[in-house]
Amino acid sequence: MVRAPCCDEESSLKKGPWTTEEDAKLMDYISRNGHGSWRALPKLAGLNRCGKSCRLRWTNYLRPDIKRGKFSEEEERVIINLHSVLGNKWSKIATHLPGRTDNEIKNYWNTQLRKKLLHMGIDPNTHRPRTDLNQLLDLSKLLSVASVGNSNMMTSPWDNSLKLKAAAGAAQLTKMQLLQHLYMMPVVRTSNSRVPPNNYNVDLMNHYSSLFGSHILNPFGGGHVNRASTMLSGQEWNLQADIVDGFHAISNSLEGFEGGFGAQGVISSNSPDQENMSSSCCYDDIYVQTKNHPLPALVSSSSVYPGTSSSAANQMEISMGGPAAPARTAIFDAWEKLMDDETSESYWKDILEYVLAD
DNA sequence: AACAACGTCAACCGCGACGAC
DNA sequence: CGTCGTCGCGGTTGACGTTGT
């Protein structure tokens, strides 16, 4: 059967924003009688509205137990957690957030939380790392660098065979970038914000870590995310994952490779202080590039908070001249495992050996 | 100052679930 | 068991405010 829309037969009924008079009538009636039958209510309350409109106005706005104002970090965390399990079941999610309506949560998700997750590189629908077109477009740039024919980046001391190897290397970098996109949350640039981490953000990151598995988050070995911090009001995310150490180490080991891949790490240390969480040492713009053709960043930046994080110490070590050779070998081995292409092994070994022997 | 673009959120719409008969 | 009426949910819209040009 085809049912007539709720208010069709009563098209003279008012629609649109509610006036204070209407609100007062509705509140007065419900406080004295309860809502009873929503369909019957408007007539009984003296309102020229359909019952559906009255119910919506009451449940989303007039109900006395409605909480107003900004969502707390805890509420955000609950919403994200529940959404990852329940999906768009706003009413179910709302039952876990006293005073919040499903409509309010839905709006907050669509206007705020979705964006936050997208900035983190998380697909808000699946709660998994994004693999969308925009990110793949970055890869196309990277691939173009790998094209040897029209490249003017290879100058002395590169010979032809090394050019080929570098091209293959760029292709592997592309792979690496793809893996990064597939397997981890990108580290978002926040070079000027050094916000102390808090439990909410660490919880959030570990939530995703548990969804993806720490081995996926960190193919270089190690554990969960060490630190995650954010400026909620600024909608700026700043994540720190162990995987960053691996990229730092690799890019650092390539540093100074004249005419080829270079890496640049800038460290700013604000006199690390174990007692003061606002102190930080911070990498800005860790990236891998060719001399004339900058590559998209493998890692943008991250803030590292001194103290409990062992990776902070590792990064310090890297910044001061890189890890010892055995550490580089270990990192290389880990990387090699990621590459199932039989060509990558020898090419990268050649390049790295060339660099390390220099 | 005027206009456009963008963001937010209250309200609407259509559909499915469910209970009464 | 089928039909009907009501309710509630989730997607979408559009008015309004804010920000950028």
Side-chain angles (χ1 to χ4, degrees):
Chain A
M1 81 178 191
V2 177
R3 180 161 37 94
C6 143
C7 304
D8 257 14
E9 71 276 28
E10 303 161 292
S11 54
S12 63
L13 293 179
K14 191 176 174 214
K15 290 181 184 177
W18 281 63
T19 64
T20 50
E21 289 77 21
E22 288 175 315
D23 281 348
K25 278 185 182 176
L26 183 58
M27 285 193 73
D28 180 58
Y29 178 84
I30 292 178
S31 64
R32 285 188 286 106
N33 308 293
H35 63 73
S37 164
W38 285 112
R39 199 172 176 83
L41 183 146
K43 210 166 261 180
L44 295 170
L47 287 161
N48 189 31
R49 296 264 181 181
C50 74
K52 204 172 187 176
S53 180
C54 293
R55 179 175 55 79
L56 218 59
R57 184 63 180 172
W58 174 257
T59 54
N60 287 340
Y61 197 80
L62 296 176
R63 238 174 50 203
D65 59 330
I66 283 181
K67 192 195 283 183
R68 299 254 161 236
K70 195 170 156 37
F71 279 74
S72 69
E73 290 180 354
E74 173 65 13
E75 286 175 316
E76 280 193 12
R77 191 181 61 77
V78 168
I79 293 169
I80 292 170
N81 280 337
L82 289 173
H83 188 272
S84 72
V85 176
L86 300 170
N88 295 355
K89 301 292 178 190
W90 307 118
S91 59
K92 293 245 184 341
I93 293 172
T95 61
H96 292 83
L97 294 165
R100 301 292 189 183
T101 69
D102 54 355
N103 204 39
E104 192 180 13
I105 293 167
K106 178 175 61 183
N107 283 334
Y108 189 65
W109 173 268
N110 287 329
T111 59
Q112 308 282 333
L113 293 179
R114 271 179 63 86
K115 283 184 216 161
K116 274 185 185 171
L117 294 185
L118 287 169
H119 281 143
M120 289 168 65
I122 305 287
D123 183 333
N125 298 317
T126 63
H127 292 258
R128 292 191 161 272
R130 294 166 65 192
T131 57
D132 63 12
L133 192 58
N134 287 339
Q135 299 205 12
L136 292 175
L137 283 175
D138 285 344
L139 292 181
S140 70
K141 288 187 212 160
L142 200 52
L143 280 167
S144 72
V145 174
S147 146
V148 180
N150 59 359
S151 170
N152 61 355
M153 69 181 182
M154 304 305 178
T155 55
S156 176
W158 291 67
D159 60 16
N160 282 339
S161 91
L162 214 52
K163 281 182 186 177
L164 287 171
K165 290 177 181 182
Q172 290 307 317
L173 255 181
T174 302
K175 268 184 155 178
M176 199 63 225
Q177 178 111 2
L178 180 57
L179 282 167
Q180 182 197 7
H181 286 146
L182 289 174
Y183 288 156
M184 72 170 286
M185 288 155 280
V187 179
V188 179
R189 175 191 181 85
T190 59
S191 45
N192 293 324
S193 61
R194 287 162 192 151
V195 183
N198 54 44
N199 289 337
Y200 161 66
N201 298 304
V202 173
D203 283 353
L204 185 58
M205 295 312 301
N206 282 330
H207 165 65
Y208 283 115
S209 180
S210 67
L211 281 178
F212 308 144
S214 61
H215 65 288
I216 289 177
L217 264 179
N218 181 4
F220 292 96
H224 277 198
V225 172
N226 291 332
R227 290 283 182 222
S229 66
T230 180
M231 284 175 62
L232 287 170
S233 57
Q235 298 176 7
E236 206 169 10
W237 293 77
N238 174 19
L239 314 174
Q240 168 61 37
D242 283 339
I243 189 172
V244 172
D245 295 355
F247 284 117
H248 286 174
I250 288 167
S251 58
N252 191 71
S253 65
L254 293 168
E255 193 171 2
F257 191 27
E258 187 186 345
F261 295 108
Q264 196 172 73
V266 179
I267 189 163
S268 61
S269 175
N270 300 338
S271 53
D273 175 1
Q274 303 274 345
E275 303 300 319
N276 181 0
M277 290 302 281
S278 68
S279 299
S280 67
C281 47
C282 174
Y283 276 99
D284 291 331
D285 297 326
I286 306 294
Y287 59 92
V288 177
Q289 65 172 44
T290 60
K291 189 172 185 180
N292 300 318
H293 299 263
L295 296 175
L298 282 171
V299 175
S300 295
S301 75
S302 64
S303 293
V304 180
Y305 297 93
T308 57
S309 166
S310 62
S311 73
N314 291 342
Q315 291 190 354
M316 269 297 212
E317 181 190 11
I318 292 164
S319 74
M320 299 306 179
R328 296 185 191 200
T329 307
I331 291 160
F332 176 77
D333 287 346
W335 198 0
E336 189 179 291
K337 280 176 195 164
L338 283 169
M339 306 298 178
D340 55 9
D341 184 339
E342 67 279 4
T343 61
S344 64
E345 180 180 331
S346 59
Y347 287 0
W348 273 103
K349 271 185 177 164
D350 281 353
I351 290 172
L352 288 174
E353 280 168 11
Y354 186 93
V355 175
L356 297 175
D358 214 8

